[in-house]
Amino acid sequence: MSVVKLLCAAVLGVATAGALPARADYPDKPVKVYVGFAPGGATDLLARFYAEQLSRKLGQPFIVENRPGAGGNVAIQSLAQTKPDGYTIAMGANYIASNAALKRNSYDWDKDLTPIALIASTPNMLVVPPNSPFNSVDDIIRAGTRSDSFLTFGSAGVGSSIHLSGELFKAMTGAKLTHVPYKGVSPAEVALMAGDIDMMFGSVSTEVPLVQAGKLKILAVTGLERMKVFPDTPTLDEAGLKGFNVGASYMLVAPANVPDHIVRRLSEAVAEINAGAEAPAYTERLYATPMKGGPAEAKAFLRSEYEKWNKLVAENALKLD
């Protein structure tokens, strides 16, 4: 072999050797984790738990950054526009798909996002202030269908599962309810406890302690199964709204075109976290059900949610202002 060929081979070998560790070294700087709601709700709590776990496992800080607004869409829109290098991800939820069905997204989730891993799911709870005159779903329907009715329900923002639960309730019952959006579940809860709004289809992760403390009253659950913590509380399906099934399902997402090895490293790290003892214990404390699945499963889930909400929008003439 000539001297020139030897030198070329050596240079190529050094370049190749220098390129390979880059994959193993991700992340080599802090990673941002966007959250589309104010601190304190289930999205935020799950993001902080997984950020801490990923920091430990991958050796770099995963820093939660709250970007509330538009029912979570402010954060996801920002994510879709970031550099696809794996250093900005988000704790998203199925509002990504439901808002697409409602034509509210300024991004195309199928083209602009890369799902990483499924995390957990929760139903919502129909709750009212403790001194509310409403003690059942029928009470609300009767009051909401009177000609002089003016009832309000709060949410964590337009397009959130808390909001969509209320819109579907209106469509299925004919009740006249006025939506009052907040920039997260915590400020909505404060307003509800103060009596500024009449009701909310709130997040179980934060409503359960408030109900147990006597600060709120629970009337129904939005999922198809009763909750173990409130076994005597009916589902909305049992209360007469057949097929009513709305909740929040959380997942980690990244911008489109993040390198495959980075997506794989993140999804494998989440799978390892979920296989440990801490993650199931933490999700149980939030009254959530763990979900398992990597990029393919997360994308398939979003697609199924999109199809579900497309059908609900058509069947119930759902339209958001």
Side-chain angles (χ1 to χ4, degrees):
M1 186 180 287
S2 68
V3 173
V4 172
K5 287 182 178 179
L6 283 170
L7 286 172
C8 287
V11 170
L12 181 60
V14 170
T16 304
L20 289 175
R23 294 195 170 199
D25 287 349
Y26 172 85
D28 60 8
K29 62 181 181 179
V31 178
K32 291 181 181 179
V33 183
Y34 288 169
V35 170
F37 302 94
T43 312
D44 177 72
L45 294 172
L46 285 167
R48 293 181 187 280
F49 173 80
Y50 278 87
E52 180 184 355
Q53 295 289 316
L54 287 167
S55 298
R56 280 194 232 160
K57 187 162 286 293
L58 299 182
Q60 287 289 340
F62 279 66
I63 303 167
V64 171
E65 187 174 304
N66 296 86
R67 294 192 170 204
N73 261 347
V74 167
I76 301 301
Q77 175 63 36
S78 298
L79 178 74
Q81 296 172 341
T82 61
K83 185 177 180 182
D85 57 4
Y87 288 94
T88 306
I89 60 177
M91 182 63 77
N94 50 341
Y95 63 78
I96 293 170
S98 56
N99 277 287
L102 287 157
K103 307 291 190 287
R104 293 192 64 250
N105 292 348
S106 56
Y107 56 88
D108 183 335
W109 73 267
D110 200 19
K111 296 178 180 178
D112 298 336
L113 300 176
T114 299
I116 297 170
L118 294 168
I119 299 297
S121 66
T122 61
N124 294 326
M125 294 165 42
L126 174 53
V127 287
V128 296
N131 60 349
S132 170
F134 305 133
N135 294 302
S136 70
V137 174
D138 282 343
D139 287 347
I140 291 177
I141 295 173
R142 279 194 294 269
T145 51
R146 290 202 310 259
S147 59
D148 61 346
S149 171
F150 182 77
L151 298 178
T152 56
F153 74 100
S155 83
V158 175
S160 63
S161 71
I162 296 174
H163 174 210
L164 294 179
S165 294
E167 294 295 338
L168 188 58
F169 184 90
K170 286 168 57 178
M172 293 180 73
T173 64
K176 295 185 287 292
L177 306 178
T178 298
H179 176 225
V180 183
Y182 294 84
K183 288 191 174 181
V185 69
S186 295
E189 287 167 343
V190 171
L192 183 62
M193 288 186 288
D196 296 336
I197 50 179
D198 294 302
M199 69 197 78
M200 184 165 73
F201 296 82
S203 169
V204 297
S205 302
T206 50
E207 310 306 345
V208 169
L210 294 175
V211 171
Q212 291 174 327
K215 295 180 179 179
L216 290 175
K217 181 167 57 176
I218 181 171
L219 302 186
V221 178
T222 66
L224 291 175
E225 296 181 4
R226 294 191 180 199
M227 295 180 62
K228 291 179 181 178
V229 67
F230 299 125
D232 297 328
T233 299
T235 66
L236 284 169
D237 177 85
E238 291 174 322
L241 280 65
K242 294 302 178 185
F244 196 109
N245 182 23
V246 181
S249 299
Y250 306 94
M251 65 205 70
L252 284 174
V253 293
N257 302 315
V258 170
D260 288 344
H261 70 276
I262 292 178
V263 174
R264 191 163 52 249
R265 185 158 171 77
L266 287 168
S267 64
E268 288 173 355
V270 170
E272 290 171 9
I273 292 167
N274 288 343
E278 288 184 71
Y282 186 77
T283 53
E284 185 175 345
R285 288 202 298 274
L286 295 181
Y287 306 96
T289 301
M291 298 178 73
K292 294 182 179 180
E297 292 81 3
K299 187 157 191 173
F301 176 79
L302 278 176
R303 189 172 302 283
S304 70
E305 283 290 292
Y306 175 72
E307 292 169 356
K308 165 188 165 181
W309 279 100
N310 252 343
K311 185 179 179 184
L312 287 172
V313 167
E315 289 178 348
N316 296 282
L318 288 179
K319 187 177 180 180
L320 306 189
D321 295 330

